[in-house]
Amino acid sequence: GRNGIKLWHGGDVIDSVVTDCGGDGCLIGDQTGRYRYLHVLATHYGEPGEPAGYLGTWGYDVAVADTSFSVEIVNSVFAENAGPGGFYFPAEAQVSIRRSLFDDVDAKLVDLSDGTSLLVSDLAAFEATGRGSGNLVGVPLFEDDDCRRLAIPPSSPARDVGETVPLLDRDILGNARVAGAGPDLGPLETP
């Protein structure tokens, strides 16, 4: 019912499912540090029809005047979350969002501390800033259309499109990470 995963001074979140949380955010980084989110599924954040906070926040309550925040989100899926959602970063943060899937084109993508605000529909403009690449908009088509059973069919836009991350050769269940042309997005590699 409250925050999903909150890290204080950086850290790695790998092969994780964050679901059914509310409160201040689904993914939170409080103080300066290096934060990495690799093969994460964030789903069912907030109550449908109710305003939700940011899907992820880093440095929301901290005045940052340098690049001491580093946030990397890779091969992750953000689906079935309440709006407006989005991520909040200090404008000076080093941000890289790559090969991740967003299911709602009208949802907020980012707010920066300098007042910049972009929607998921502005994904190309966001990537043009050098803070991301290879991201997708689409429905992940998880096995039960509710993002609770993680297997994805061959027709899913999350299938075989991830980037290879060194040393992550197993998924959340211990299966070989690459079972097709490339890694699947999210925590489970579907054979």
Side-chain angles (χ1 to χ4, degrees):
R2 288 290 298 157
N3 300 329
I5 298 175
K6 185 171 187 177
L7 302 174
W8 293 100
H9 294 281
D12 294 339
V13 177
I14 301 170
D15 287 334
S16 299
V17 178
V18 186
T19 186
D20 296 299
C21 58
D24 300 329
C26 195
L27 304 172
I28 299 174
D30 190 61
Q31 302 292 318
T32 58
R34 178 177 179 245
Y35 298 87
R36 292 190 323 153
Y37 303 86
L38 311 172
H39 291 281
V40 171
L41 167 63
T43 183
H44 296 93
Y45 169 61
E47 295 293 325
E50 297 288 324
Y54 289 110
L55 185 58
T57 66
W58 293 271
Y60 189 79
D61 296 321
V62 178
V64 177
D66 58 28
T67 57
S68 54
F69 265 92
S70 172
V71 181
E72 184 178 17
I73 300 171
V74 181
N75 296 344
S76 295
V77 177
F78 302 94
E80 299 289 329
N81 295 299
F87 302 126
Y88 174 90
F89 301 106
E92 301 83 3
Q94 298 175 40
V95 176
S96 182
I97 302 174
R98 302 186 313 277
R99 300 285 180 173
S100 293
L101 178 70
F102 300 88
D103 75 337
D104 184 356
V105 72
D106 296 321
K108 184 170 292 211
L109 179 62
V110 296
D111 278 342
L112 301 178
S113 62
D114 66 2
T116 300
S117 183
L118 297 170
L119 298 175
V120 171
S121 60
D122 300 319
L123 197 51
F126 174 77
E127 290 183 351
T129 68
R131 292 183 165 175
S133 64
N135 295 297
L136 305 166
V137 178
V139 178
L141 302 175
F142 285 109
E143 198 170 82
D144 66 355
D145 290 332
D146 196 26
C147 301
R148 302 215 188 258
R149 295 178 68 200
L150 303 181
I152 55 176
S155 58
S156 173
R159 190 79 178 253
D160 297 338
V161 297
E163 72 178 57
T164 301
V165 178
L167 303 178
L168 291 187
D169 58 354
R170 297 283 173 195
D171 71 4
I172 194 170
L173 298 178
N175 301 317
R177 171 63 69 194
V178 180
D184 292 344
L185 304 185
L188 181 68
E189 183 74 17
T190 305

